[in-house]
Amino acid sequence: KAGVTQTPRYLIKTRGQQVTLSCSPISGHRSVSWYQQTPGQGLQFLFEYFSETQRNKGNFPGRFSGRQFSNSRSEMNVSTLELGDSALYLCASSPGTANNEQFFGPGTRLTVL
Amino acid sequence: GNSVTQMEGPVTLSEEAFLTINCTYTATGYPSLFWYVQYPGEGLQLLLKATKADDKGSNKGFEATYRKETTSFHLEKGSVQVSDSAVYFCALTGSYNTDKLIFGTGTRLQVFP
């Protein structure tokens, strides 16, 4: 069974631009979560989607948004990029029943110049 | 709210030494507890988990026991290898109807031959 895939793997943008990251979960998984990893703040939860509905949301500004499609694939969007948005963005999927382990993708490394 | 506290790193050991990485948590209800590992340049991999008090999770020689009385989930391995060098994250999910993970800050392990 294929693992979680994320595209692109690396991205360089400039301040003020917007970016869209994509995540394809493990086949059959209905829940997708996104996390931001930075050296200063560690791993922080962005949001969680289940069956196309946002089930949970972290403490990030409205510039960060996401969605999930009917095939469970998910995208996250960051508008008006700031230097502090430079991070590794990790996507994770799980079957969707609560308190399950999550399976992580390799991440998208975003650099904002 | 729910939180996870891990010992600061880096932890530096010689090959075949005994490893302990401390993890304590604060949570309401009955969280599930996890250890994830991150190798350089990669995403997170689930190492082991425990879903109720006194459960012992184990994998690849690593073990951790869910101790509700001390709110701890310490990671141990009897004999580390150079290939175990990585960052280890303790995490929990504690809320109903979500797979959201709350992570500790991570502990870097360096094993020398």
Side-chain angles (χ1 to χ4, degrees), chain A residues 48 55-56 96 98-99, chain B residues 95-99:
Chain A
E48 176 189 18
R55 186 157 73 173
N56 216 329
N99 291 319
Chain B
S95 301
Y96 172 74
N97 201 33
T98 180
D99 291 329

Side-chain angles (χ1 to χ4, degrees), chain A residues 19-90:
Chain A
V19 68
T20 299
L21 312 182
S22 181
C23 172
S24 292
I26 291 171
S27 177
H29 284 189
R30 297 169 64 191
S31 172
V32 173
S33 296
W34 290 88
Y35 297 84
Q36 182 196 63
Q37 186 177 25
T38 59
Q41 299 298 317
L43 280 156
Q44 293 189 291
F45 171 78
L46 281 156
F47 22 66
E48 176 189 18
Y49 288 89
F50 176 75
S51 292
E52 301 179 67
T53 301
Q54 188 178 86
R55 186 157 73 173
N56 216 329
K57 188 177 188 303
N59 294 324
F60 279 81
R63 301 184 297 105
F64 291 80
S65 63
R67 59 179 176 168
Q68 185 181 34
F69 302 96
S70 58
N71 61 358
S72 294
R73 192 177 70 84
S74 177
E75 289 181 348
M76 66 164 282
N77 184 277
V78 188
S79 62
T80 319
L81 284 166
E82 300 177 359
L83 296 180
D85 297 333
S86 295
L88 180 67
Y89 290 88
L90 293 165

